[in-house]
Amino acid sequence: MTNRRTRPAPKPPEGTPPAAELARHARALLADAVRVARWADAECARGATLRPGHGVTLSTGTAERAAETLGLTPRQVLAGWDRARLAGLVELHGDTARPGWRLRAWDRDDSAVLRGWVALFDAWSLVHPAPEALASGAVAEVVEAVPQVLSLLQLSAGPVLIPALLDLLEQRVAELREERCEVPYGPESARIPAQLPAQAPAPAPPRPEGVPLDRLLRWALEGFASVGALTLDEESATLTPLGSWAVWVKLEQICVAAQSPAGNIEQSAEDMLRGCAGLTPGPARAEYRAWLAARPVGSAVTELLDAARGEDALLRGLAFEALRVVGAPAEPEVRAAAAEPSLRPYALLWLAEYEGADAEDAHEALTREEATWLWVDTAAAVADHGETELLVRHLESAVQGTVPALIEEVRVVGHPRTVQVLVALAAAHPDPALSKAVRRAAFQVHTGGV
């Protein structure tokens, strides 16, 4: 059996066009999105503020204004805006929209173009939403199962008949239900059947009643066609060169994930972060990438933030390091996390770096109180997991400049670990007089004195 950590990455499909040609196709598919993004860029350059009207889309008035300038219909503008947002050509920062970095690189960087198109490919179910009449649970099952369909299309390297794709989709949905240990009961039992027990040979599953899988399959194929990943007619579907390349990219990511350096890929976020605690930054980032590649980005971000909310300050810092590897897809949740006192300093630093600040200058985004809170939180991580000398050296990173000023501000910042940090610092510091002052401050915080 092949060791899962050394599984070779798949080779690109034969006949895959060079990157420059793939990028040319991607630019053509996103031409309207780029026009809308550049219009938004020009609006921002002249001082306008673009505020989406309903969630993440443009307001009706803004869309009409853009349509008049670009010679498009408002509907085309809205479609282009959505694609531009999903491809990273425009970004939402709070309630304000502005051009993304990818737009700057669009004409000169083929890799940026291809990454933008892959982001759109990943968002196919948002580009082409499922009809409201279809049950959300059935839609979610098909979204989870459809990679198997894409794999068959790539392996076939040509047209595949719709009935063959439907048979595969039925089997994969049945497998997913069995993996979740779902036992059909009541009226639901007539829908998508679970597979027979492993010891019995499983015949081809019958067509499920109740859930129109053929309609769901057609919706999914139309979604991938809408982003340029395949061509579709009444009888068959065929991957485009871009679609075939994208499926290969996804397979390669899975193989990279399977080669997780420290073997934490299957762990929870908290356990993965603990496993990375002793790694230097480079190997730790490789481990984060492997762990992230094996999960949907949304659930991975949620799990990392949940780990950051725990009591272990070390995991809090490591979780935001992993979120730096995630990048733009984490921005909305990180921005929301800035409203939580325990996460706010970390989230503000993340956002400052995300918006272009150098790591050395990012601390300017914090108020004095937030910087002090972060100092205490980091000191708590050092006290719990580091050596005493590190805690003493940590004093040098305080913004106050002097120990008495630091102690005074630490006492009022309200961090739940203040007493423990001061006690640990008093025990570690070699200066008896300073140690005594820190210990007195710890006692006063503990008793509520002044």
Side-chain angles (χ1 to χ4, degrees), residues 139-336:
V139 169
E141 285 180 327
V142 169
V143 170
E144 189 175 359
V146 81
Q148 200 94 352
V149 173
L150 294 174
S151 296
L152 175 60
L153 284 164
Q154 191 204 44
L155 289 170
S156 300
V160 179
L161 294 176
I162 300 298
L165 296 175
L166 182 59
D167 285 341
L168 177 61
L169 182 64
E170 289 173 348
Q171 292 173 26
R172 182 58 184 146
V173 169
E175 289 170 0
L176 291 171
R177 286 207 161 188
E178 184 180 33
E179 290 168 6
R180 291 194 298 265
C181 300
E182 291 187 7
V183 179
Y185 61 91
E188 296 293 318
S189 63
R191 291 192 171 190
I192 303 175
Q195 285 187 325
L196 296 177
Q199 62 267 24
R207 286 281 193 275
E209 300 174 8
V211 171
L213 267 187
D214 55 345
R215 186 178 174 193
L216 282 164
L217 174 63
R218 174 64 60 169
W219 161 70
L221 295 176
E222 288 173 352
F224 285 111
S226 72
V227 298
L230 56 81
T231 57
L232 179 66
D233 57 34
E234 289 300 317
E235 297 181 350
S236 65
T238 309
L239 283 181
T240 63
L242 264 176
S244 181
W245 171 80
V247 175
W248 168 71
V249 167
K250 298 302 172 184
L251 290 173
E252 185 182 42
Q253 288 176 349
I254 292 171
C255 289
V256 169
Q259 298 173 33
S260 166
N264 291 301
I265 183 176
E266 295 176 356
Q267 302 296 324
S268 66
E270 183 172 335
D271 289 339
M272 180 274 293
L273 294 171
R274 291 191 191 282
C276 293
L279 300 177
T280 55
R285 281 192 294 271
E287 195 70 7
Y288 302 149
R289 290 190 189 96
W291 187 86
L292 290 163
R295 289 161 177 76
V297 67
S299 61
V301 170
T302 299
E303 197 173 342
L304 287 169
L305 286 173
D306 285 343
R309 293 184 179 99
E311 296 182 358
D312 194 330
L314 177 65
L315 296 192
R316 196 154 26 252
L318 293 176
F320 277 86
E321 287 301 317
L323 288 167
R324 285 178 173 84
V325 174
V326 177
E331 187 264 343
E333 290 198 53
V334 172
R335 194 171 294 279

Side-chain angles (χ1 to χ4, degrees), residues 23 26-28 30-48 50 58 62 65-67 69-70 72 77 80-85 87-91 97-110 112-113:
R27 285 188 176 96
L30 284 163
D32 279 355
V34 171
R35 289 184 67 197
V36 173
R38 285 183 171 148
W39 172 85
D41 190 13
E43 290 289 292
C44 291
R46 68 176 184 81
L50 296 179
L58 287 177
T62 303
R65 184 155 50 91
T69 301
L70 298 174
L72 301 172
V77 168
W81 173 265
D82 286 341
R83 288 173 177 247
R85 180 179 55 82
L89 294 164
V90 293
E91 298 172 351
R98 60 179 184 236
W101 70 268
R102 196 162 278 151
L103 183 65
R104 313 290 186 208
W106 196 254
D107 290 332
R108 56 180 170 76
D109 188 342
D110 288 346
V113 172

